[in-house]
Amino acid sequence: MDRIIFHIDVNSAYLSWEAVYRLQHGSLTDLRTLSSAIGGDEKSRHGIILAKSEIAKKYGIKTGESLREAKSKCPEIMLIPPNYRLYMKCSNAFYEILCEYSSLVQRYSVDECFLDYTDSQALYGDPLEAAYSIKERVKKELGFTVNIGISSKKLLAKMASELEKPDKVHTIFEHEIKEKMWPLPIEELFMVGRRTAPKLRGLGIKTIGDLAKYDRELIRIHLKSFGEMIWNYANGIDSSTVKKEESIQKGIGNSTTISYDVTDRKEAHLVLLSLTEMVSMRLREADMLTKVISVSVKNFGFSTYSHQRKLPGPTDCTMVIYENVTQLFDQVWKGEPIRHLGVHLTDLCGKEFYQISIFDKNDRERQMQADRVMDALRKKYGNDTLVRSSFINSGIRPIRGGVGEDNYQMMSSLL
DNA sequence: TCTGGGGTCCTAGGACCC
DNA sequence: TCTGGGGTCCTAGGACCC
């Protein structure tokens, strides 16, 4: 039996949410009716466009381009810094509504969900009608529009929701693949990004249909298992299912572009400390331990390199992580000006596997206690409550990186 | 393209073991 | 060691998603 899958996607999510918020707080203009965009923030250096209005789109403004570029295309564009806390609230409200229509809803990202409608048909009737009613309900109750794609497969539902925007419902059932999906340029296929698209075009593949009809073995030779996967996608083959339970987090990381090029080792250490604070706080918040620590560096020439290390035992202690971070950095940094730094923790495990090693010093125990106290205070009074003395007068923010609380659902490239 | 920041997964090579 | 092959772990880098 075929399943019925919905993919629901908020139109220009960040911008819509900001617009709704402003209207609710007395603003007389709707951002969606102006040339406006969300992007950039206090650390101003080369911010990018995260979401844009339809009007801004008409000026040729694209998601991901620099603020400067956007301004050159439309000087009067209204730029608004992102407010992630608001987005979380809107995302939750959106998700709550969807949950009324099925017990099987997967949060795929802040602004996208998959919904398995198969067993809801008895209750809510025809899928297409249900989709329209969901769309209208979200619009009426929450004030923003969504696109809904319907199919028997997650991939096809996602492709359908991308068809024509905004405020639309589309289907791509298997018999419609040829007509609705194959004529699209190859770039539109899920998982075909800026590196793969030119390779495919080099093989004479211009549309999704071209890929679908291409020799499967030949594409495998060129692009290995990845090639096989996108060939399957082009043919509407996808056996993934809507997963309710959020998968356990695989890694936690924070990184930042510094507003000036850092050339001093001590200063780099300070930035790394601020990142380590955030990353390790999030790790403890998730009630997990890490076994692998990595540091990444992007230099003034935009080349990136990283260095990682597996720990002898798992930890969640800020100072243990920080010691490793500085050592890794010192080992890998070539001494050139630094533009961007990152700290990432992977190979996470739950605390149930942790046994205090006999080599752990009493010292460690005290540090971990200090972490717990700091977490509690910062949670209660804000992250600025406690600042390590090394940051005073440094001009560097003591804690940086986002996604502090609520750990919103992160997407994976897999369906 | 003067190019953010949060993720996931895959691949490839070298070390090491049997 | 003028030596084979398979498996696993570790590390670095690169692809993709939003």
Side-chain angles (χ1 to χ4, degrees), chain A residues 265 269 272-273 276-277 280 293 295 309 311-312 315 317-331 343 345 361 363-364 367 388:
Chain A
R265 186 171 147 269
H269 281 193
L272 290 168
L273 177 57
T276 304
E277 290 262 31
S280 50
I293 297 174
V295 170
R309 168 187 289 178
L311 302 177
T315 187
C317 175
T318 301
M319 287 323 287
V320 174
I321 296 171
Y322 181 58
E323 276 167 30
N324 281 282
V325 162
T326 49
Q327 285 168 15
L328 286 163
F329 173 78
D330 291 347
Q331 282 171 16
V343 173
L345 310 177
K361 307 180 197 94
D363 214 35
R364 246 349 145 233
Q367 285 176 345
R388 286 185 200 265

Side-chain angles (χ1 to χ4, degrees), chain A residues 41-326:
Chain A
D41 52 0
E42 67 279 5
K43 58 176 177 298
S44 68
R45 170 145 123 168
H46 316 298
I48 60 156
I49 302 289
L50 297 164
K52 67 220 177 278
S53 68
E54 288 294 316
I55 316 284
K57 192 179 175 182
K58 292 207 174 83
Y59 281 95
I61 286 161
K62 297 190 191 97
T63 303
E65 72 186 0
S66 67
L67 297 188
R68 166 134 41 109
E69 220 171 334
K71 274 184 184 161
S72 77
K73 288 177 185 171
C74 175
E76 65 275 21
I77 188 168
M78 188 171 173
L79 291 171
I80 298 134
N83 176 0
Y84 295 102
R85 198 167 295 237
L86 169 68
Y87 307 155
M88 262 322 297
K89 277 194 199 165
C90 296
S91 174
N92 290 339
F94 167 61
Y95 173 70
E96 292 301 320
I97 288 189
L98 298 184
C99 286
E100 290 180 34
Y101 292 84
S102 170
S103 55
L104 204 49
V105 182
Q106 178 182 357
R107 280 182 101 153
Y108 186 64
S109 75
V110 238
D111 63 342
E112 275 177 66
C113 290
F114 285 101
L115 185 154
D116 189 324
Y117 191 74
T118 318
D119 299 331
S120 309
Q121 280 184 95
L123 229 69
Y124 293 97
D126 177 68
L128 212 60
E129 281 174 31
Y132 276 103
S133 94
I134 291 174
K135 177 172 89 66
E136 293 308 314
R137 245 195 90 183
V138 170
K139 203 195 312 187
K140 190 163 161 244
E141 291 178 26
L142 303 178
F144 54 84
T145 63
V146 299
N147 257 44
I148 302 184
I150 309 175
S151 183
S152 54
K153 306 271 174 67
K154 282 172 85 177
L155 172 91
L156 295 174
K158 185 161 167 58
M159 294 298 296
S161 73
E162 305 275 320
L163 285 177
E164 195 201 351
K165 297 178 183 179
D167 201 19
K168 294 275 191 310
V169 176
H170 300 285
T171 62
I172 301 185
F173 286 105
E174 265 147 288
H175 67 273
E176 299 174 299
I177 292 174
K178 211 172 169 178
E179 163 209 351
K180 294 189 181 176
M181 197 165 86
W182 283 7
L184 300 175
I186 191 63
E187 287 77 12
E188 304 283 308
L189 183 62
F190 180 67
M191 290 304 285
V192 175
R194 48 185 258 275
R195 311 304 289 229
T196 308
K199 288 183 198 166
L200 294 173
R201 286 197 172 263
L203 297 172
I205 296 169
K206 300 187 190 72
T207 65
I208 298 178
D210 291 342
L211 176 58
K213 286 173 267 180
Y214 205 80
D215 185 79
R216 185 162 177 229
E217 284 314 306
L218 215 50
I219 207 78
R220 221 193 120 74
I221 288 166
H222 287 291
L223 296 171
K224 311 281 176 65
S225 63
F226 181 80
E228 196 167 20
M229 183 184 73
I230 57 174
W231 186 91
N232 283 336
Y233 285 173
N235 282 286
I237 300 167
D238 161 38
S239 57
S240 63
T241 55
V242 179
K243 293 170 209 69
K244 189 183 171 57
E245 72 287 353
E246 60 273 23
S247 50
I248 32 153
Q249 197 159 16
K250 303 282 167 50
I252 296 177
N254 284 108
S255 62
T256 188
T257 295
I258 309 145
S259 51
Y260 53 93
D261 284 353
V262 168
T263 50
D264 178 66
R265 186 171 147 269
K266 287 272 169 260
E267 210 163 337
H269 281 193
L270 219 45
V271 174
L272 290 168
L273 177 57
S274 72
L275 289 164
T276 304
E277 290 262 31
M278 177 53 94
V279 144
S280 50
M281 224 160 59
R282 292 175 56 205
L283 180 69
R284 292 188 293 270
E285 179 73 32
D287 228 21
M288 299 190 94
L289 301 168
T290 182
K291 285 185 272 188
V292 173
I293 297 174
S294 97
V295 170
S296 63
V297 177
K298 179 156 29 171
N299 62 27
F300 66 114
F302 272 95
S303 56
T304 305
Y305 49 89
S306 64
H307 196 33
Q308 71 177 54
R309 168 187 289 178
K310 178 139 187 158
L311 302 177
T315 187
D316 68 356
C317 175
T318 301
M319 287 323 287
V320 174
I321 296 171
Y322 181 58
E323 276 167 30
N324 281 282
V325 162
T326 49

